[in-house]
Amino acid sequence: MQLKKFNVAVVGATGVVGQEVVKILEELNFPINELRLLASERSAGKRLTFKDSELEVDILNNESFSNIDLAFFSAGGSISKKFAPIAVKAGAIVIDKSSIFRMDNHVPLIVPDVNPDNILKHNGIISNPNCSTIQLVVALKPIYDLVGISRIIVSTYQAVSGSGKDAVTELDNQTKQLISKKTPSRLVYPHQIAFNLIPHIDEFDSNAYTYEEMKLIHETKKIMRDEHLKITATAVRVPVFTGHSESVYIETKKHLNIEELKQLYLKTPGIKLVDDMANNKYPMPIMSETYDDVMIGRIRKDLAEPNGINMWIVANNLRKGAALNSVQIAQLLIR
Amino acid sequence: MQLKKFNVAVVGATGVVGQEVVKILEELNFPINELRLLASERSAGKRLTFKDSELEVDILNNESFSNIDLAFFSAGGSISKKFAPIAVKAGAIVIDKSSIFRMDNHVPLIVPDVNPDNILKHNGIISNPNCSTIQLVVALKPIYDLVGISRIIVSTYQAVSGSGKDAVTELDNQTKQLISKKTPSRLVYPHQIAFNLIPHIDEFDSNAYTYEEMKLIHETKKIMRDEHLKITATAVRVPVFTGHSESVYIETKKHLNIEELKQLYLKTPGIKLVDDMANNKYPMPIMSETYDDVMIGRIRKDLAEPNGINMWIVANNLRKGAALNSVQIAQLLIR
């Protein structure tokens, strides 16, 4: 039997997420017939390596999607808004990393480890959740299924690569400037990020939460299919290049033994339990360069609340938090 | 009337906290007759500036405390354990930064803004709380007094200067090494701290919490005089030189309006409200070089829990978190 191969487009191919998508398509040996790399005029003509060949990046335009089966979008909300419907019209299925379709009732919001069945009812667009949501729901899902979850309180520690290439450059530049006693220059963030923390990701909503915090709240409810889930969040940018971390407090509906939870995590695909105090082992952002799984550690009972559990969750925001999850959605689609 | 002046010793005078104590004694014009700087052999002979004179650092020994009225200790637990009783015997009152006496029932644990009355019953030793506890209780106290607090969930973002001078050097060195693509060297922390996060401060307790987390829990209860306060914590080291930050979730006993809380904070001495979304103003570690007050911002209601409040608290861990609080304890003593 001849396996079907697909014509795949990557929109935003030169961005931090787009480049990871190309890498992961190769790593996972995704069945590709033609790979079309698309970006804005600024990046057109650049070349990316895919398998043994060098591919040139084309300018994204209205004709970019002819004969495309699958289009990965990671070029920001306005590009998705304009070109995703064009891609769908041309016959492609769009897997979109931007936030603009995520809360649309007709658009599935998918983490393949968590809610694969939701993918069945799509109208051509499938949304990839926010990076900080993905790693959270992967960690929550086994608990939710086993004993139920009544509330979640999350504080994030988010890497700069979540803001794109320019933010990576900004942390690098500011660090060099500060190390040599120069005044740090700013372009991406409203304040210095090197050796600092910024408790402000995306814009402020009128309710005093940031959009990033609201994404965590809304998307988690949508993915878990539980509108009544109590969840609140504080999102903070930290001077780390890659790897988002989350300090998460969970209250379960029924009692859950910590050892039982660890055993559950040990056998859950997509999760890597890293919880060995005696050897100073726990998840850290620098480990996310090595591991694709969502890493969970520092699991312990709240000493005051019998159903309360604290844990520490780390994942690579460019891979599981973005590109890898997108390609996993594509794998789910073609299955 | 002639104001009384005091003979003051600073033990650990060349450490990051000790140096701040000397600076703050000068800044606050503490009534000093003699200032005696003490440290280990390694630092003896070094000179520190105090007002218009240069003072030489003496070697700490059993005779160091003769005629001393007040002794500030910030040279670690084992030095406090050995020399604080000697200082008390010699007639001094000890203000100790280490953790070893803090939970002793006969030792007051004081944040002058929060529990000044507790200072009355001491036996010669007064403990300064842990840095992360101080800024937390300063923020909690006005809420506690007004509407009561039923639970607290804290995630910390702690600067390296909390681990002392060598840790500051380590972050600086590792940053330089990584920026020039070299392998980072390690001495203080079990893992790379530059461009990374370490969810592990102080040693692990058998209950899977770290001592740092347990200090936050126990000390907060002691200072608030409320054994039933539900509090849990996750403590994380971040690549920031100075300024501890905390993402804090509070549940109040009675309902509290956010505007009312902001008004309360505005009129509370020792607190600086920094909460102006429209102008991207919120507390950040780099601001703690400028402000001594505990900075509070990002105050907002939990959207799911009527009595839940999120906030973001930042303070200078060397000043309010250590040296300044110690000198404020001394001011309280001599009043």
Side-chain angles (χ1 to χ4, degrees):
Chain A
M1 192 183 102
Q2 178 87 31
L3 276 175
K4 182 167 164 40
K5 289 190 170 187
F6 300 87
N7 295 335
V8 173
V10 178
V11 178
T14 59
V16 280
V17 174
Q19 291 189 42
E20 284 295 329
V21 168
V22 173
K23 255 166 71 181
I24 293 169
L25 286 169
E26 177 170 340
E27 285 172 25
L28 300 187
N29 204 20
F30 195 85
I32 289 182
N33 178 47
E34 183 202 336
L35 181 61
R36 203 174 295 171
L37 306 181
L38 300 164
S40 66
E41 221 161 330
R42 198 167 55 123
S43 300
K46 283 191 183 167
R47 287 168 170 278
L48 294 184
T49 307
F50 180 70
K51 294 189 173 172
D52 294 329
S53 52
E54 285 229 312
L55 299 179
E56 196 172 305
V57 178
D58 288 332
I59 300 180
L60 171 67
N61 63 40
N62 290 346
E63 278 68 52
S64 295
F65 301 97
S66 66
N67 292 318
I68 289 295
D69 301 303
L70 267 175
F72 293 96
F73 274 72
S74 59
S78 54
I79 295 291
S80 292
K81 195 171 180 179
K82 183 171 172 197
F83 288 98
I86 293 171
V88 172
K89 219 171 195 172
I93 295 178
V94 168
I95 298 171
D96 184 37
K97 177 67 196 126
S98 86
S99 64
I100 70 152
F101 302 115
R102 287 186 195 144
M103 295 313 296
D104 185 325
N105 282 333
H106 304 290
V107 174
L109 183 64
I110 301 294
V111 180
D113 326 63
V114 177
N115 63 339
D117 299 347
N118 287 9
I119 210 170
L120 298 171
K121 288 176 284 180
H122 69 82
N123 290 315
I125 300 176
I126 294 153
S127 274
N128 197 332
N130 196 33
C131 39
S132 48
T133 309
I134 294 175
Q135 64 188 76
L136 179 65
V137 295
V138 167
L140 294 180
K141 175 69 173 171
I143 302 178
Y144 191 92
D145 288 348
L146 189 67
V147 291
I149 292 177
S150 50
R151 67 189 306 180
I152 304 155
I153 296 158
V154 189
S155 296
T156 72
Y157 303 62
Q158 295 182 235
V160 297
S161 57
S163 314
K165 257 197 290 202
D166 293 346
V168 172
T169 305
E170 183 144 311
L171 173 56
D172 190 55
N173 283 345
Q174 288 184 353
T175 303
K176 287 172 181 160
Q177 288 159 340
L178 287 161
I179 284 287
S180 43
K181 314 279 179 207
K182 287 181 195 144
T183 307
S185 55
R186 270 196 319 98
L187 265 172
V188 178
Y189 295 118
H191 304 282
Q192 171 191 324
I193 183 63
F195 307 113
N196 194 28
L197 308 170
I198 306 177
H200 172 191
I201 301 184
D202 208 334
E203 301 190 16
F204 281 107
D205 203 338
S206 57
N207 62 9
Y209 283 77
T210 57
Y211 289 160
E212 185 77 6
E213 289 157 355
M214 293 311 298
K215 285 178 215 163
L216 251 170
I217 294 170
H218 289 316
E219 294 178 17
T220 299
K221 289 181 184 182
K222 178 167 176 175
I223 296 165
M224 305 299 285
R225 284 169 274 194
D226 184 349
E227 251 318 298
H228 301 290
L229 193 60
K230 285 186 179 180
I231 168 168
T232 191
T234 299
V236 180
R237 189 72 67 190
V238 300
V240 163
F241 286 108
T242 292
H244 283 358
S245 306
E246 295 175 343
S247 168
V248 179
Y249 180 84
I250 296 168
E251 226 167 273
T252 57
K253 286 188 176 165
K254 286 185 231 157
H255 187 265
L256 176 59
N257 179 281
I258 293 293
E259 271 317 305
E260 195 181 349
L261 175 55
K262 288 185 184 174
Q263 290 307 316
L264 184 61
Y265 278 155
L266 277 173
K267 65 183 188 205
T268 305
I271 288 178
K272 183 176 173 64
L273 182 71
V274 187
D275 203 353
D276 177 4
M277 294 181 290
N279 293 301
N280 293 335
K281 288 193 176 155
Y282 26 74
M284 296 185 296
I286 46 168
M287 296 163 68
S288 74
E289 290 160 26
T290 312
Y291 300 108
D292 268 341
D293 287 345
V294 173
M295 293 177 283
I296 307 178
R298 297 292 332 270
I299 305 176
R300 60 214 192 277
K301 278 273 168 197
D302 181 354
L303 303 170
E305 179 61 51
N307 284 359
I309 296 171
N310 285 303
M311 60 175 72
W312 175 251
I313 304 167
V314 177
N316 187 313
N317 53 300
L318 301 179
R319 292 178 63 93
K320 185 56 188 171
L324 177 60
N325 198 66
S326 289
V327 178
Q328 287 171 334
I329 290 173
Q331 289 180 314
L332 196 60
L333 269 173
I334 65 170
R335 214 175 280 158
Chain B
M1 190 182 104
Q2 179 84 34
L3 276 175
K4 182 165 165 38
K5 289 190 169 184
F6 300 87
N7 295 335
V8 173
V10 177
V11 178
T14 57
V16 280
V17 174
Q19 290 190 42
E20 284 295 330
V21 168
V22 173
K23 256 166 72 181
I24 293 170
L25 287 169
E26 177 171 340
E27 285 172 25
L28 300 187
N29 205 19
F30 195 85
I32 289 183
N33 178 47
E34 183 202 335
L35 181 62
R36 204 173 295 170
L37 306 181
L38 301 164
S40 67
E41 219 161 329
R42 199 169 54 126
S43 300
K46 283 191 183 167
R47 288 168 168 277
L48 293 184
T49 308
F50 180 70
K51 293 189 173 172
D52 295 329
S53 52
E54 285 228 314
L55 299 179
E56 196 172 304
V57 177
D58 288 333
I59 300 179
L60 172 67
N61 63 40
N62 290 347
E63 278 68 53
S64 295
F65 301 97
S66 65
N67 292 318
I68 289 294
D69 301 305
L70 268 174
F72 294 95
F73 274 72
S74 59
S78 55
I79 295 292
S80 292
K81 196 171 181 180
K82 183 172 173 193
F83 287 98
I86 293 171
V88 172
K89 219 171 195 174
I93 296 177
V94 168
I95 298 170
D96 183 38
K97 178 67 195 129
S98 86
S99 64
I100 69 152
F101 302 115
R102 285 184 197 147
M103 295 313 296
D104 185 325
N105 282 332
H106 305 291
V107 174
L109 183 65
I110 301 294
V111 180
D113 326 63
V114 176
N115 63 339
D117 299 347
N118 287 10
I119 209 169
L120 298 170
K121 288 178 283 180
H122 70 81
N123 291 316
I125 300 176
I126 294 154
S127 273
N128 197 330
N130 196 34
C131 39
S132 48
T133 309
I134 293 176
Q135 65 189 75
L136 178 66
V137 295
V138 166
L140 294 180
K141 174 71 173 169
I143 302 178
Y144 192 92
D145 288 349
L146 189 67
V147 290
I149 292 177
S150 50
R151 67 188 308 180
I152 304 155
I153 295 159
V154 189
S155 296
T156 73
Y157 303 62
Q158 297 182 231
V160 296
S161 57
S163 315
K165 257 198 290 202
D166 293 345
V168 171
T169 306
E170 183 145 311
L171 173 57
D172 191 55
N173 283 345
Q174 288 184 354
T175 303
K176 288 171 182 161
Q177 289 159 339
L178 287 162
I179 284 287
S180 43
K181 314 279 181 208
K182 288 180 194 143
T183 308
S185 55
R186 271 195 318 98
L187 265 172
V188 178
Y189 294 118
H191 304 282
Q192 171 190 324
I193 182 62
F195 307 113
N196 193 28
L197 308 169
I198 307 177
H200 171 192
I201 301 183
D202 207 335
E203 301 188 18
F204 281 107
D205 203 338
S206 58
N207 61 11
Y209 284 78
T210 58
Y211 289 161
E212 185 77 6
E213 290 157 354
M214 292 312 297
K215 286 179 213 163
L216 251 169
I217 294 171
H218 289 316
E219 294 178 16
T220 300
K221 288 181 184 183
K222 177 168 176 174
I223 296 166
M224 304 301 283
R225 283 167 277 196
D226 184 349
E227 253 316 299
H228 302 291
L229 194 59
K230 284 185 180 179
I231 168 167
T232 191
T234 299
V236 180
R237 189 72 68 189
V238 300
V240 163
F241 285 108
T242 292
H244 282 359
S245 306
E246 295 174 344
S247 170
V248 180
Y249 179 85
I250 297 167
E251 225 168 274
T252 57
K253 286 188 175 166
K254 286 185 232 157
H255 187 264
L256 176 58
N257 179 282
I258 292 293
E259 270 318 306
E260 195 183 346
L261 174 56
K262 288 186 182 174
Q263 290 306 317
L264 184 62
Y265 277 154
L266 278 173
K267 65 183 189 207
T268 305
I271 288 177
K272 182 174 174 65
L273 182 72
V274 187
D275 203 354
D276 177 4
M277 293 181 290
N279 294 299
N280 292 336
K281 288 192 176 156
Y282 27 73
M284 296 184 295
I286 47 168
M287 297 164 69
S288 74
E289 289 160 26
T290 313
Y291 299 109
D292 269 340
D293 287 344
V294 173
M295 294 177 283
I296 307 177
R298 296 294 330 272
I299 305 176
R300 61 214 191 278
K301 278 272 170 199
D302 181 355
L303 303 171
E305 179 61 50
N307 284 359
I309 295 171
N310 285 303
M311 60 175 70
W312 175 252
I313 304 167
V314 177
N316 188 312
N317 53 300
L318 301 179
R319 292 178 64 92
K320 185 57 187 172
L324 176 60
N325 198 66
S326 290
V327 178
Q328 288 171 334
I329 291 173
Q331 289 180 314
L332 195 62
L333 270 174
I334 66 170
R335 215 175 280 157

